[in-house]
Each structure stands twice: as structure tokens, then as C-alpha cells.
PDB file of all heavy atoms in Angstrom:
ATOM      1  N   GLN A   1      96.246 108.083 106.355  1.00  0.00           N
ATOM      2  CA  GLN A   1      96.786 107.284 107.416  1.00  0.00           C
ATOM      3  C   GLN A   1      95.948 105.983 107.628  1.00  0.00           C
ATOM      4  O   GLN A   1      96.490 104.931 107.844  1.00  0.00           O
ATOM      5  CB  GLN A   1      96.885 107.972 108.792  1.00  0.00           C
ATOM      6  CG  GLN A   1      97.456 107.202 109.954  1.00  0.00           C
ATOM      7  CD  GLN A   1      96.481 106.612 110.943  1.00  0.00           C
ATOM      8  OE1 GLN A   1      95.607 107.410 111.498  1.00  0.00           O
ATOM      9  NE2 GLN A   1      96.565 105.404 111.367  1.00  0.00           N
ATOM     10  N   GLY A   2      94.774 106.071 107.424  1.00  0.00           N
ATOM     11  CA  GLY A   2      93.838 104.873 107.529  1.00  0.00           C
ATOM     12  C   GLY A   2      94.257 103.853 106.364  1.00  0.00           C
ATOM     13  O   GLY A   2      94.271 102.599 106.708  1.00  0.00           O
ATOM     14  N   ILE A   3      94.563 104.402 105.228  1.00  0.00           N
ATOM     15  CA  ILE A   3      94.944 103.598 104.111  1.00  0.00           C
ATOM     16  C   ILE A   3      96.275 102.893 104.345  1.00  0.00           C
ATOM     17  O   ILE A   3      96.308 101.616 104.209  1.00  0.00           O
ATOM     18  CB  ILE A   3      94.940 104.360 102.793  1.00  0.00           C
ATOM     19  CG1 ILE A   3      93.662 104.856 102.361  1.00  0.00           C
ATOM     20  CG2 ILE A   3      95.641 103.528 101.633  1.00  0.00           C
ATOM     21  CD1 ILE A   3      93.570 105.939 101.327  1.00  0.00           C
ATOM     22  N   LEU A   4      97.171 103.588 104.867  1.00  0.00           N
ATOM     23  CA  LEU A   4      98.543 102.996 105.064  1.00  0.00           C
ATOM     24  C   LEU A   4      98.416 101.956 106.255  1.00  0.00           C
ATOM     25  O   LEU A   4      98.976 100.843 106.060  1.00  0.00           O
ATOM     26  CB  LEU A   4      99.562 104.097 105.504  1.00  0.00           C
ATOM     27  CG  LEU A   4     100.872 103.572 106.047  1.00  0.00           C
ATOM     28  CD1 LEU A   4     101.648 102.797 104.941  1.00  0.00           C
ATOM     29  CD2 LEU A   4     101.605 104.755 106.674  1.00  0.00           C
ATOM     30  N   THR A   5      97.661 102.224 107.241  1.00  0.00           N
ATOM     31  CA  THR A   5      97.595 101.316 108.384  1.00  0.00           C
ATOM     32  C   THR A   5      96.808 100.042 107.928  1.00  0.00           C
ATOM     33  O   THR A   5      97.208  98.878 108.307  1.00  0.00           O
ATOM     34  CB  THR A   5      96.822 102.012 109.534  1.00  0.00           C
ATOM     35  OG1 THR A   5      97.567 103.197 109.904  1.00  0.00           O
ATOM     36  CG2 THR A   5      96.832 101.043 110.697  1.00  0.00           C
ATOM     37  N   ALA A   6      95.838 100.168 107.168  1.00  0.00           N
ATOM     38  CA  ALA A   6      95.042  98.996 106.618  1.00  0.00           C
ATOM     39  C   ALA A   6      96.002  98.190 105.902  1.00  0.00           C
ATOM     40  O   ALA A   6      95.950  96.929 106.014  1.00  0.00           O
ATOM     41  CB  ALA A   6      93.914  99.493 105.841  1.00  0.00           C
ATOM     42  N   ILE A   7      96.728  98.739 105.012  1.00  0.00           N
ATOM     43  CA  ILE A   7      97.666  97.967 104.142  1.00  0.00           C
ATOM     44  C   ILE A   7      98.743  97.261 104.934  1.00  0.00           C
ATOM     45  O   ILE A   7      98.935  96.050 104.803  1.00  0.00           O
ATOM     46  CB  ILE A   7      98.295  98.864 103.042  1.00  0.00           C
ATOM     47  CG1 ILE A   7      97.262  99.305 102.075  1.00  0.00           C
ATOM     48  CG2 ILE A   7      99.404  98.048 102.387  1.00  0.00           C
ATOM     49  CD1 ILE A   7      97.660 100.386 101.089  1.00  0.00           C
ATOM     50  N   LEU A   8      99.332  97.982 105.916  1.00  0.00           N
ATOM     51  CA  LEU A   8     100.386  97.383 106.751  1.00  0.00           C
ATOM     52  C   LEU A   8      99.813  96.261 107.616  1.00  0.00           C
ATOM     53  O   LEU A   8     100.533  95.322 108.034  1.00  0.00           O
ATOM     54  CB  LEU A   8     100.973  98.472 107.696  1.00  0.00           C
ATOM     55  CG  LEU A   8     101.863  99.598 107.013  1.00  0.00           C
ATOM     56  CD1 LEU A   8     102.289 100.527 107.977  1.00  0.00           C
ATOM     57  CD2 LEU A   8     103.101  98.912 106.367  1.00  0.00           C
ATOM     58  N   SER A   9      98.513  96.308 107.924  1.00  0.00           N
ATOM     59  CA  SER A   9      97.858  95.306 108.803  1.00  0.00           C
ATOM     60  C   SER A   9      97.660  93.970 108.167  1.00  0.00           C
ATOM     61  O   SER A   9      97.521  92.964 108.762  1.00  0.00           O
ATOM     62  CB  SER A   9      96.583  95.806 109.404  1.00  0.00           C
ATOM     63  OG  SER A   9      95.574  95.894 108.398  1.00  0.00           O
ATOM     64  N   CYS A  10      97.674  93.924 106.841  1.00  0.00           N
ATOM     65  CA  CYS A  10      97.215  92.748 106.103  1.00  0.00           C
ATOM     66  C   CYS A  10      98.120  92.279 104.988  1.00  0.00           C
ATOM     67  O   CYS A  10      98.060  91.168 104.532  1.00  0.00           O
ATOM     68  CB  CYS A  10      95.753  92.804 105.613  1.00  0.00           C
ATOM     69  SG  CYS A  10      95.540  94.009 104.208  1.00  0.00           S
ATOM     70  N   VAL A  11      99.080  93.189 104.543  1.00  0.00           N
ATOM     71  CA  VAL A  11      99.896  92.896 103.451  1.00  0.00           C
ATOM     72  C   VAL A  11     101.353  92.408 103.919  1.00  0.00           C
ATOM     73  O   VAL A  11     102.003  93.300 104.741  1.00  0.00           O
ATOM     74  CB  VAL A  11      99.999  93.905 102.426  1.00  0.00           C
ATOM     75  CG1 VAL A  11     100.924  93.680 101.299  1.00  0.00           C
ATOM     76  CG2 VAL A  11      98.529  94.247 101.856  1.00  0.00           C
ATOM     77  N   SER A  12     101.865  91.343 103.466  1.00  0.00           N
ATOM     78  CA  SER A  12     103.206  90.847 103.899  1.00  0.00           C
ATOM     79  C   SER A  12     104.022  90.776 102.665  1.00  0.00           C
ATOM     80  O   SER A  12     103.635  90.939 101.546  1.00  0.00           O
ATOM     81  CB  SER A  12     103.170  89.524 104.584  1.00  0.00           C
ATOM     82  OG  SER A  12     102.336  89.660 105.770  1.00  0.00           O
ATOM     83  N   ALA A  13     105.400  90.464 102.885  1.00  0.00           N
ATOM     84  CA  ALA A  13     106.280  90.494 101.682  1.00  0.00           C
ATOM     85  C   ALA A  13     105.776  89.344 100.713  1.00  0.00           C
ATOM     86  O   ALA A  13     105.500  88.218 101.102  1.00  0.00           O
ATOM     87  CB  ALA A  13     107.680  90.075 102.194  1.00  0.00           C
ATOM     88  N   GLY A  14     105.701  89.801  99.495  1.00  0.00           N
ATOM     89  CA  GLY A  14     105.341  88.861  98.451  1.00  0.00           C
ATOM     90  C   GLY A  14     103.934  88.745  98.132  1.00  0.00           C
ATOM     91  O   GLY A  14     103.450  88.301  97.050  1.00  0.00           O
ATOM     92  N   ASP A  15     103.068  89.420  99.014  1.00  0.00           N
ATOM     93  CA  ASP A  15     101.639  89.467  98.710  1.00  0.00           C
ATOM     94  C   ASP A  15     101.463  90.415  97.441  1.00  0.00           C
ATOM     95  O   ASP A  15     102.103  91.489  97.382  1.00  0.00           O
ATOM     96  CB  ASP A  15     100.778  89.986  99.914  1.00  0.00           C
ATOM     97  CG  ASP A  15     100.753  88.962 100.971  1.00  0.00           C
ATOM     98  OD1 ASP A  15     100.922  87.768 100.770  1.00  0.00           O
ATOM     99  OD2 ASP A  15     100.430  89.338 102.152  1.00  0.00           O
ATOM    100  N   GLU A  16     100.343  90.125  96.738  1.00  0.00           N
ATOM    101  CA  GLU A  16     100.047  91.008  95.582  1.00  0.00           C
ATOM    102  C   GLU A  16      98.777  91.885  95.984  1.00  0.00           C
ATOM    103  O   GLU A  16      97.879  91.375  96.670  1.00  0.00           O
ATOM    104  CB  GLU A  16      99.726  90.232  94.374  1.00  0.00           C
ATOM    105  CG  GLU A  16     101.036  89.478  93.845  1.00  0.00           C
ATOM    106  CD  GLU A  16     100.787  88.810  92.573  1.00  0.00           C
ATOM    107  OE1 GLU A  16      99.649  88.809  92.048  1.00  0.00           O
ATOM    108  OE2 GLU A  16     101.825  88.276  92.047  1.00  0.00           O
ATOM    109  N   VAL A  17      98.828  93.123  95.580  1.00  0.00           N
ATOM    110  CA  VAL A  17      97.768  94.051  95.881  1.00  0.00           C
ATOM    111  C   VAL A  17      97.293  94.693  94.504  1.00  0.00           C
ATOM    112  O   VAL A  17      98.212  95.306  93.785  1.00  0.00           O
ATOM    113  CB  VAL A  17      98.178  95.109  96.812  1.00  0.00           C
ATOM    114  CG1 VAL A  17      97.047  96.156  97.070  1.00  0.00           C
ATOM    115  CG2 VAL A  17      98.659  94.560  98.123  1.00  0.00           C
ATOM    116  N   VAL A  18      96.136  94.577  94.101  1.00  0.00           N
ATOM    117  CA  VAL A  18      95.618  95.046  92.907  1.00  0.00           C
ATOM    118  C   VAL A  18      95.027  96.486  93.168  1.00  0.00           C
ATOM    119  O   VAL A  18      94.250  96.769  94.109  1.00  0.00           O
ATOM    120  CB  VAL A  18      94.385  94.225  92.367  1.00  0.00           C
ATOM    121  CG1 VAL A  18      93.805  94.802  91.113  1.00  0.00           C
ATOM    122  CG2 VAL A  18      94.945  92.727  92.211  1.00  0.00           C
ATOM    123  N   ILE A  19      95.503  97.441  92.349  1.00  0.00           N
ATOM    124  CA  ILE A  19      95.054  98.806  92.286  1.00  0.00           C
ATOM    125  C   ILE A  19      94.582  99.080  90.943  1.00  0.00           C
ATOM    126  O   ILE A  19      94.965  98.508  89.921  1.00  0.00           O
ATOM    127  CB  ILE A  19      96.064  99.840  92.861  1.00  0.00           C
ATOM    128  CG1 ILE A  19      97.211 100.014  91.791  1.00  0.00           C
ATOM    129  CG2 ILE A  19      96.634  99.436  94.167  1.00  0.00           C
ATOM    130  CD1 ILE A  19      98.254 101.077  92.191  1.00  0.00           C
ATOM    131  N   ILE A  20      93.825 100.106  90.852  1.00  0.00           N
ATOM    132  CA  ILE A  20      93.253 100.482  89.568  1.00  0.00           C
ATOM    133  C   ILE A  20      93.809 102.058  89.246  1.00  0.00           C
ATOM    134  O   ILE A  20      93.531 102.962  90.043  1.00  0.00           O
ATOM    135  CB  ILE A  20      91.642 100.507  89.508  1.00  0.00           C
ATOM    136  CG1 ILE A  20      91.164  99.088  89.907  1.00  0.00           C
ATOM    137  CG2 ILE A  20      91.175 100.913  88.123  1.00  0.00           C
ATOM    138  CD1 ILE A  20      89.676  99.003  90.013  1.00  0.00           C
ATOM    139  N   GLU A  21      94.518 102.114  88.157  1.00  0.00           N
ATOM    140  CA  GLU A  21      95.144 103.430  87.755  1.00  0.00           C
ATOM    141  C   GLU A  21      94.119 104.108  86.778  1.00  0.00           C
ATOM    142  O   GLU A  21      93.539 103.350  86.008  1.00  0.00           O
ATOM    143  CB  GLU A  21      96.498 103.345  87.245  1.00  0.00           C
ATOM    144  CG  GLU A  21      97.431 102.776  88.304  1.00  0.00           C
ATOM    145  CD  GLU A  21      98.900 102.705  87.790  1.00  0.00           C
ATOM    146  OE1 GLU A  21      99.124 102.407  86.559  1.00  0.00           O
ATOM    147  OE2 GLU A  21      99.821 103.141  88.503  1.00  0.00           O
ATOM    148  N   PRO A  22      94.073 105.507  86.860  1.00  0.00           N
ATOM    149  CA  PRO A  22      94.734 106.380  87.618  1.00  0.00           C
ATOM    150  C   PRO A  22      94.380 106.231  89.110  1.00  0.00           C
ATOM    151  O   PRO A  22      93.163 106.047  89.402  1.00  0.00           O
ATOM    152  CB  PRO A  22      94.413 107.679  87.126  1.00  0.00           C
ATOM    153  CG  PRO A  22      93.081 107.460  86.439  1.00  0.00           C
ATOM    154  CD  PRO A  22      93.156 106.083  85.839  1.00  0.00           C
ATOM    155  N   ALA A  23      95.305 106.285  90.054  1.00  0.00           N
ATOM    156  CA  ALA A  23      95.088 105.905  91.378  1.00  0.00           C
ATOM    157  C   ALA A  23      95.683 106.998  92.317  1.00  0.00           C
ATOM    158  O   ALA A  23      96.706 107.633  91.990  1.00  0.00           O
ATOM    159  CB  ALA A  23      95.799 104.622  91.863  1.00  0.00           C
ATOM    160  N   TYR A  24      95.092 107.271  93.392  1.00  0.00           N
ATOM    161  CA  TYR A  24      95.495 108.105  94.527  1.00  0.00           C
ATOM    162  C   TYR A  24      96.929 107.817  94.870  1.00  0.00           C
ATOM    163  O   TYR A  24      97.354 106.582  95.001  1.00  0.00           O
ATOM    164  CB  TYR A  24      94.704 108.032  95.743  1.00  0.00           C
ATOM    165  CG  TYR A  24      95.077 108.945  96.913  1.00  0.00           C
ATOM    166  CD1 TYR A  24      95.279 110.262  96.710  1.00  0.00           C
ATOM    167  CD2 TYR A  24      95.232 108.446  98.191  1.00  0.00           C
ATOM    168  CE1 TYR A  24      95.593 111.088  97.780  1.00  0.00           C
ATOM    169  CE2 TYR A  24      95.586 109.163  99.236  1.00  0.00           C
ATOM    170  CZ  TYR A  24      95.766 110.522  99.015  1.00  0.00           C
ATOM    171  OH  TYR A  24      96.147 111.341 100.095  1.00  0.00           O
ATOM    172  N   ASP A  25      97.815 108.791  94.952  1.00  0.00           N
ATOM    173  CA  ASP A  25      99.228 108.498  94.973  1.00  0.00           C
ATOM    174  C   ASP A  25      99.852 107.785  96.180  1.00  0.00           C
ATOM    175  O   ASP A  25     100.972 107.421  96.192  1.00  0.00           O
ATOM    176  CB  ASP A  25     100.056 109.863  94.642  1.00  0.00           C
ATOM    177  CG  ASP A  25      99.912 110.785  95.845  1.00  0.00           C
ATOM    178  OD1 ASP A  25      98.946 110.681  96.627  1.00  0.00           O
ATOM    179  OD2 ASP A  25     100.666 111.858  95.724  1.00  0.00           O
TER     180      ASP A  25
END
């Protein structure tokens, strides 16, 4: 829930988010 809330608080439509795979689902 902390992860989701953090992402929703700062990411808007069109923003890019870098993740490193293999990654938590």
C-alpha cells in the first residue's frame, strides 16, 4: 500500500517510471 500510494502521489499521465526487472509484481 505504501508503494501504491507513493506512486499515485507523484506520477501523472505521461510520466515515465523506471523499474528494474525482475521486479516485485
Side-chain angles (χ1 to χ4, degrees):
Q1 184 252 315
I3 291 166
L4 172 62
T5 303
I7 291 170
L8 290 174
S9 72
C10 67
V11 176
S12 301
D15 287 343
E16 294 186 357
V17 181
V18 178
I19 68 172
I20 304 174
E21 293 184 320
Y24 180 52
D25 65 348

